[in-house]
Amino acid sequence: MADIDIELSIRLQQQLFVDPRRISLLREIQKCGSISQAAKNCRLSYKTAWDNLNAMDLISPKPLLQRNSGGKEGGGTHLTAYAERLLRLYDLLEQTQRRAFRILQDENVPLTGLLAATAKFSLQSSARNQLFGTVSSLRKQGLNREVDIIVEGLSNPITASITKASCERLQLQTTQEVLLMFKAPWLTLHRNRPQHSNSFQGVITALQQQQDDHEALIRLTPVIELCAGYHDSESYQIGETVFVSIEPQNIILLAL
């Protein structure tokens, strides 16, 4: 795919606050500590540079520049801590925009929710199993909260058990989009349907064995495949129909 060139502008009070040219000017001031030298590096006249800096300062919630006159430091102009945070934020926003455009190019990424769309390019995890779903109900269970999550394609919801504090921190509510994560060893394989709320039928598509580590890939639906660990004393075959289950407390939830 060709390089993506996205010009990000931020407006405050219906006026231009920062754009690529102003950000470049701030970055040059950060490097050299001089407005005049920064203007030269950006190929701007001193007046143009000053006018842009003054326009930013007039609408900025906090000062952007700190001017030192003379002394042992030799004077000069430096960015305030707020301006340095602004530069870091601008970098993050540019990265987000580039990733958003890549999401547009990939027709396999659903655009039904912000979490599902961004997680593909933003999240990396050691957990082999990741599913997206929607909260359907919340229940008190002692000191914990049980969260029922509907995952498209599965016949019944998946129930996760988290603490009350975690539920409040995630600000969970019904219809909210969440990401479920769990490691392969936390899944249990069964040949017969278990008496377990979080159990699903699937077909083994691959078996991987490395010394004491045994893993099976189980396809639950055309688009959902889970990885489960199993003991070396158990013997499974590719194409075999099995059931997989997961304890509610072994499910990690992520939300925006």
Side-chain angles (χ1 to χ4, degrees):
M1 184 175 62
D3 291 339
I4 302 170
D5 186 14
I6 299 175
E7 293 193 353
L8 173 65
S9 297
I10 300 175
R11 302 180 71 85
L12 293 177
Q13 303 174 28
Q14 298 183 334
Q15 299 179 63
L16 178 64
F17 180 40
V18 293
D19 62 4
R21 184 170 70 167
R22 290 181 174 182
I23 288 294
S24 295
L25 182 59
L26 289 176
R27 286 189 176 127
E28 290 299 326
I29 294 174
Q30 185 183 47
K31 292 177 184 177
C32 63
S34 165
I35 295 177
S36 59
Q37 185 60 49
K40 291 179 182 177
N41 295 347
C42 292
R43 298 183 179 180
L44 300 174
S45 69
Y46 182 83
K47 182 181 185 305
T48 299
W50 176 256
D51 287 344
N52 276 275
L53 293 170
N54 187 54
M56 294 169 66
D57 257 330
L58 287 175
I59 60 175
S60 176
K62 294 182 179 181
L64 298 172
L65 301 177
Q66 178 179 339
R67 297 174 179 84
N68 301 321
S69 57
K72 292 187 296 183
E73 299 288 330
T77 302
H78 305 279
L79 300 188
T80 63
Y82 180 79
E84 291 179 346
R85 282 179 58 82
L86 174 62
L87 291 182
R88 289 194 290 270
L89 174 64
Y90 193 88
D91 286 340
L92 292 174
L93 291 174
E94 284 189 318
Q95 293 176 38
T96 300
Q97 284 198 323
R98 285 194 293 270
R99 286 175 175 171
F101 192 80
R102 293 190 182 101
I103 290 172
L104 174 64
Q105 306 299 95
D106 189 346
E107 296 183 357
N108 294 320
V109 178
L111 296 179
T112 55
L114 181 61
L115 180 59
T118 58
K120 180 176 176 65
F121 293 102
S122 303
L123 295 177
Q124 299 294 328
S125 170
S126 61
R128 296 282 299 277
N129 301 300
Q130 301 182 18
L131 301 172
F132 293 97
T134 304
V135 175
S136 61
S137 66
L138 295 160
R139 299 186 303 277
K140 292 182 179 180
Q141 184 66 31
L143 297 177
N144 293 337
R145 298 292 182 269
E146 288 194 343
V147 186
D148 291 333
I149 301 145
I150 295 175
V151 176
E152 186 176 357
L154 297 184
S155 56
N156 52 287
I158 295 179
T159 301
S161 178
I162 61 176
T163 65
K164 176 185 176 184
S166 294
C167 188
E168 292 174 348
R169 185 172 63 253
L170 295 174
Q171 299 181 339
L172 292 183
Q173 55 187 335
T174 55
T175 73
Q176 183 175 354
E177 185 184 25
V178 291
L179 171 61
L180 303 83
M181 300 172 60
F182 40 92
K183 294 186 176 181
W186 299 347
L187 275 172
T188 304
L189 283 178
H190 312 267
R191 282 199 163 88
N192 299 311
R193 184 183 296 274
Q195 297 299 313
H196 197 293
S197 59
N198 288 343
S199 64
F200 303 92
Q201 186 177 26
V203 175
I204 295 177
T205 59
L207 295 170
Q208 302 172 356
Q209 299 181 8
Q210 294 182 352
Q211 296 181 350
D212 296 332
D213 295 329
H214 294 67
E215 292 182 343
L217 295 181
I218 305 99
R219 176 157 294 161
L220 306 187
T221 75
V223 296
I224 298 179
E225 191 170 61
L226 300 180
C227 180
Y230 65 95
H231 299 294
D232 55 4
S233 59
E234 301 172 305
S235 177
Y236 292 98
Q237 303 293 325
I238 294 177
E240 183 176 353
T241 298
V242 294
F243 295 88
V244 292
S245 65
I246 178 74
E247 295 295 332
Q249 65 270 21
N250 287 339
I251 298 174
I252 299 172
L253 296 183
L254 286 81
L256 290 177

